[in-house]
Amino acid sequence: MEPFLRGCITTLERGAPSLHVVLGNETCDLDSMVSAIAFAYFLSKTAVDQKAAFVPVLNIPRSEFPLRGECTFLLQQNSLSEDLLVFRDEIDLHGLHRDGRLVLTLVDHNVLPRGDSALEDLVMEVVDHRRLERPLTPGLAVTTEPVGSCATLVTERIILKAPDILDRQLADVLRSTILLDCINMAPEAGKVTPKDTEYVTTLESRFTDLLPRAVVFDSLQRAKFDVSGLTIEQMLRKDLKVLSGGDILLAISAVYLRLEELLARPGLKAGFEEFCRARGYSVLVVMTITFEQKSEPFRQLAVYSPHCNLRESVSRALEESETPLLQLTPLDSPDSEIVAYHQGNGQASRKKVLPVIVDFLKAQEAGRSDPAVVCWGWGTVSRVPRGQGEEEGEDVEETACDEEVYLPPTPMNSLVEGCPLDGGLPKLLQEAILERFDKMAVEGPVVDPSNH
Ligand SMILES: [Mn+2]
């Protein structure tokens, strides 16, 4: 595969007359990365029409890649250099489109995000394991099946159409991806389907020296949560949500590390300070999660702000929270601007703590806590791209529930004052409704659009 990837780089440097880009989704998880690389490789070996050069593109900027621990780990394991990959910020897809030099195959997703909708007409083929959200059009080849991993569908295609191109390296990256996505093929995890198992078994029968499944799964899982190699800034933005209320921009970062370890990092305070300064956050809440064996998650929490009042009031809101009760006990902190706690209630995930923060921000905004207003304050929707972390414990919970949980409740007669039938049927003028929506939009804490 290395010569193929090297060839892609050369092609891009020289400027090919036309490109066939195989694009994974914007989370660039292991499935998207491996499916894009393997499928582009397959196409390059089998396509009848070789006019276009096949290039896999990872749909994130290169600077984001160190945050995908499982991806960097698998590449290392297979002696594939990151220099052989093409990232989204290294290729101008829209420019190529304008020049009429681009066609697309989508893997591990089937509709382009809004920012790329201009490229929709270029999609020739889709290979995906999610629900199909695009219309079937003439000339579009679609492979969809609700299997545990898109890599299973790519493996199937290779085994059926071009089994000879399968070498140990390709087999290893495909099988590793399926193992991670299907939670080591454990039926109780609810991810694996018979087809995933079938192709993992087929790969193993062709390459009998592949490492044991449990070893592969455990090391990928560990790599995914291993933040030890990251800078403080990378650690904080790996799993970040941002809320705003009034003039306060508050960041909540989930970090998969013991808080003691984080606090012992040299330059931690300077790192927090720079992170907040650069992004305009006035306060940062860090929630750490570690998993001890199979017991419940072990959680700790820290609040950082250079503003004494804000730090104290956020800390108080968390300490005094009753739903959920966090059971916070103070921990030693290396700096007076960082307040550290052990969180006794291991069940209170970030998703459950978010409403406490939302209430706090609402209260700040209104100068008092007004329950009638709080209902409208739920405009907080995760900026985590769809699908990210859908395979991991903590994130599954969070990303899966966020949009449901934080949708505003259906307004009860909120478009009219008093009893809705007091003066007969209310007149719902379009302007009045739009105005009301505008008002609702500015009332609630909203997600910082620059947080990505
Ligand atoms: Mn996938």
Side-chain angles (χ1 to χ4, degrees):
M1 227 162 12
E2 204 174 322
F4 161 70
L5 294 172
R6 212 169 281 289
C8 293
I9 305 283
T10 321
T11 305
L12 289 183
E13 281 167 2
R14 287 208 198 113
S18 76
L19 289 180
H20 185 143
V21 163
V22 180
L23 190 65
N25 72 46
E26 279 185 308
T27 67
C28 192
D29 61 359
L30 193 67
D31 196 21
S32 270
M33 176 183 85
V34 166
S35 296
I37 295 173
F39 202 68
Y41 180 64
F42 163 78
L43 290 174
S44 76
K45 294 288 180 192
T46 55
V48 190
D49 176 14
Q50 291 281 0
K51 277 205 297 292
F54 296 96
V55 178
V57 171
L58 308 203
N59 211 350
I60 49 168
R62 186 178 286 273
S63 61
E64 291 289 309
F65 199 56
L67 305 186
R68 309 295 189 278
E70 69 281 23
C71 297
T72 55
F73 176 80
L74 189 65
L75 290 180
Q76 272 165 22
Q77 290 288 300
N78 283 279
S79 315
L80 288 167
S81 162
E82 291 171 25
D83 299 343
L84 298 172
L85 303 177
V86 180
F87 290 87
R88 184 58 200 267
D89 56 340
E90 298 167 337
I91 183 168
D92 178 12
L93 296 183
H94 291 273
L96 286 163
H97 171 39
R98 280 192 296 276
D99 297 346
R101 293 165 56 205
L102 182 67
V103 288
L104 282 175
T105 286
L106 305 184
V107 291
D108 203 24
H109 65 322
N110 62 73
V111 274
L112 287 160
R114 194 176 304 166
D116 284 334
S117 51
L119 307 174
E120 277 293 353
D121 293 344
L122 310 177
V123 178
M124 289 182 61
E125 179 160 13
V126 163
V127 181
D128 192 15
H129 62 137
R130 300 161 193 231
R131 193 169 54 82
L132 194 66
E133 289 178 69
R134 66 182 305 123
L136 293 169
T137 46
L140 174 75
V142 173
T143 306
T144 52
E145 213 176 310
V147 288
S149 179
C150 184
T152 295
L153 301 176
V154 175
T155 306
E156 177 180 47
R157 182 75 70 87
I158 292 172
I159 301 257
L160 295 180
K161 301 280 181 190
D164 295 343
I165 70 164
L166 200 64
D167 59 14
R168 190 183 181 282
Q169 186 186 50
L170 182 55
D172 186 64
V173 295
L174 288 167
R175 171 181 176 260
S176 299
T177 305
I178 305 170
L179 287 174
L180 183 67
D181 275 353
C182 297
I183 322 294
N184 199 22
M185 319 313 275
E188 61 274 20
K191 288 277 187 165
V192 64
T193 69
K195 185 169 272 190
D196 298 300
T197 307
E198 179 191 340
Y199 283 102
V200 164
T201 311
T202 308
L203 292 170
E204 287 165 349
S205 66
R206 293 232 3 219
F207 299 91
T208 50
D209 64 335
L210 293 171
L211 287 172
R213 290 179 183 183
V215 172
V216 174
F217 176 74
D218 287 346
S219 51
L220 281 170
Q221 189 73 5
R222 215 171 310 121
K224 190 168 176 172
F225 290 107
D226 181 12
V227 293
S228 56
L230 300 184
T231 64
I232 289 165
E233 192 258 353
Q234 288 170 334
M235 240 186 244
L236 293 175
R237 75 184 157 92
K238 185 172 166 72
D239 192 352
L240 174 72
K241 291 178 192 202
V242 180
L243 303 171
S244 76
D247 49 5
I248 301 168
L249 211 50
L250 183 149
I252 311 181
S253 206
V255 175
Y256 298 86
L257 198 69
R258 290 284 285 223
L259 186 58
E260 292 88 345
E261 263 180 76
L262 181 66
L263 295 178
R265 275 271 187 137
L268 177 83
K269 153 78 182 307
F272 280 6
E273 199 177 339
E274 173 55 20
F275 183 74
C276 289
R277 198 198 48 75
R279 295 159 169 258
Y281 306 147
S282 21
V283 56
L284 166 70
V285 177
V286 177
M287 297 187 70
T288 66
I289 312 117
T290 45
F291 296 91
E292 327 269 293
Q293 309 299 338
K294 291 210 160 142
S295 60
E296 76 169 26
F298 182 82
R299 296 178 189 272
Q300 293 161 305
L301 199 149
V303 179
Y304 162 80
S305 175
H307 315 292
C308 178
N309 284 345
L310 193 52
R311 182 176 65 244
E312 281 173 7
S313 49
V314 171
S315 304
R316 206 175 318 116
L318 294 167
E319 282 177 25
E320 291 173 359
S321 160
E322 288 177 3
T323 42
L325 199 61
L326 301 182
Q327 298 169 317
L328 298 178
T329 47
L331 292 177
D332 282 343
S333 161
D335 194 285
S336 60
E337 293 185 357
I338 302 171
V339 187
Y341 299 98
H342 169 73
Q343 185 184 312
N345 179 0
Q347 296 303 321
S349 64
R350 182 174 59 179
K351 179 189 53 152
K352 295 188 180 125
V353 171
L354 273 175
V356 179
I357 305 281
V358 170
D359 285 357
F360 167 80
L361 291 171
K362 283 306 298 178
Q364 294 287 306
E365 211 168 48
R368 66 198 167 94
S369 187
D370 181 351
V373 180
V374 169
C375 296
W376 291 111
W378 297 65
T380 54
V381 173
S382 161
R383 286 283 305 168
V384 176
R386 220 170 235 294
Q388 176 169 317
E390 61 189 5
E391 282 87 5
E392 53 197 58
E394 176 71 9
D395 264 346
V396 179
E397 244 176 69
E398 302 207 353
T399 37
C401 303
D402 271 347
E403 282 160 276
E404 265 169 42
V405 172
Y406 295 114
L407 280 177
T410 307
M412 295 279 290
N413 301 325
S414 63
L415 299 178
V416 292
E417 307 299 342
C419 171
L421 298 177
D422 273 349
L425 290 172
K427 290 194 187 67
L428 297 179
L429 296 173
Q430 196 187 359
E431 290 82 346
I433 295 171
L434 291 175
E435 191 191 311
R436 182 74 197 187
F437 277 124
D438 282 345
K439 216 172 135 215
M440 278 150 47
V442 296
E443 272 171 7
V446 289
V447 163
D448 165 22
S450 69
N451 161 35
H452 195 74

